Amino acid sequence: MDLQDLLMRSTLDSMFKVGFGFDLDTLSGSNEASNRSMEAFDESNGLVYWRFVDLWKVKRYLNIGSEAALKEKIKIIDNFVYELIQNKRKQLKNEERFTRNVLLNDDILSIPFVSELLTTLPTTIVDLEPHQIHASYEYVGYMIQAESEETERDEYLLRLMDLPNQQWVEIIGYAHGNMDLLKDQDVIRIVLNILKTNTSVATGLGTDWKVIFAPDDGSCARN
């Protein structure tokens, strides 16, 4: 698994987590259905490229060759997404989102509380496991999303992403001098955790927000 593959997997994970509330988890590769859909998505992209040099309309009409294969890949993706949509609808009807309701309670969302939490976050997570760190960032994302003042949300978001953005900028800075660094497994592991943190924050912020890494200063922005 290289850095390009990690970024593609992270993009898919973020899209599905924010859009469907489903953890695609292609970064870890533990979900077989997710892996099949990701492979179908990746292979579909490759098959589409053939349309620039191939008689693809004829093949599509006859359902042969690359167009027949593309049709099968799209079917896999469609079935997977439609199943997610159906499951999500059932979940919204039958389950209360307990964690979100608790975190959005006005009693715990006062400005001093969130500000203090962000100040102590780096020391709070230092001894936590990666999955616990990601959960912490997601919960704080919910809190920030509930803030009514846009300027406050922007400030909180910058503070929340300060640590992972610093790590990101350091890695990119070192990589400018030595591209082989991006092949190091320890570095890939750090990048993987940064991407998962980014996905967790995006989940907490909701569909109206997304966190991005700026290439120059590593800051995050609302889009």
Side-chain angles (χ1 to χ4, degrees), residues 160-208:
L160 176 62
M161 295 304 298
D162 183 59
L163 184 59
N165 280 340
Q166 285 181 20
Q167 294 176 316
W168 179 266
V169 170
E170 288 179 4
I171 290 174
I172 296 302
Y174 288 133
H176 282 163
N178 180 15
M179 290 296 294
D180 289 337
L181 179 73
L182 299 178
K183 300 178 182 178
D184 185 272
Q185 291 302 309
D186 290 334
V187 173
I188 290 177
R189 192 176 300 109
I190 294 173
V191 172
L192 176 62
N193 282 323
I194 293 174
L195 294 174
K196 284 189 174 182
T197 299
N198 196 61
T199 301
S200 297
V201 173
T203 301
L205 294 173
T207 55
D208 294 333

Side-chain angles (χ1 to χ4, degrees), residues 15-45:
M15 288 169 53
F16 277 83
K17 186 73 171 179
V18 176
F20 299 100
F22 175 78
D23 191 359
L24 197 61
D25 201 23
T26 60
L27 285 170
S28 66
S30 60
N31 190 311
E32 184 177 347
S34 298
N35 289 336
R36 283 200 305 269
S37 65
M38 189 205 71
E39 291 172 1
F41 180 82
D42 191 31
E43 292 173 9
S44 295
N45 285 331

Side-chain angles (χ1 to χ4, degrees), residues 38-56:
M38 189 205 71
E39 291 172 1
F41 180 82
D42 191 31
E43 292 173 9
S44 295
N45 285 331
L47 290 169
V48 168
Y49 288 138
W50 282 101
R51 289 185 170 182
F52 291 101
V53 295
D54 206 356
L55 299 174
W56 65 272

Side-chain angles (χ1 to χ4, degrees), residues 119-127:
T119 300
T120 60
L121 186 62
T123 55
T124 301
I125 65 175
V126 68
D127 293 324

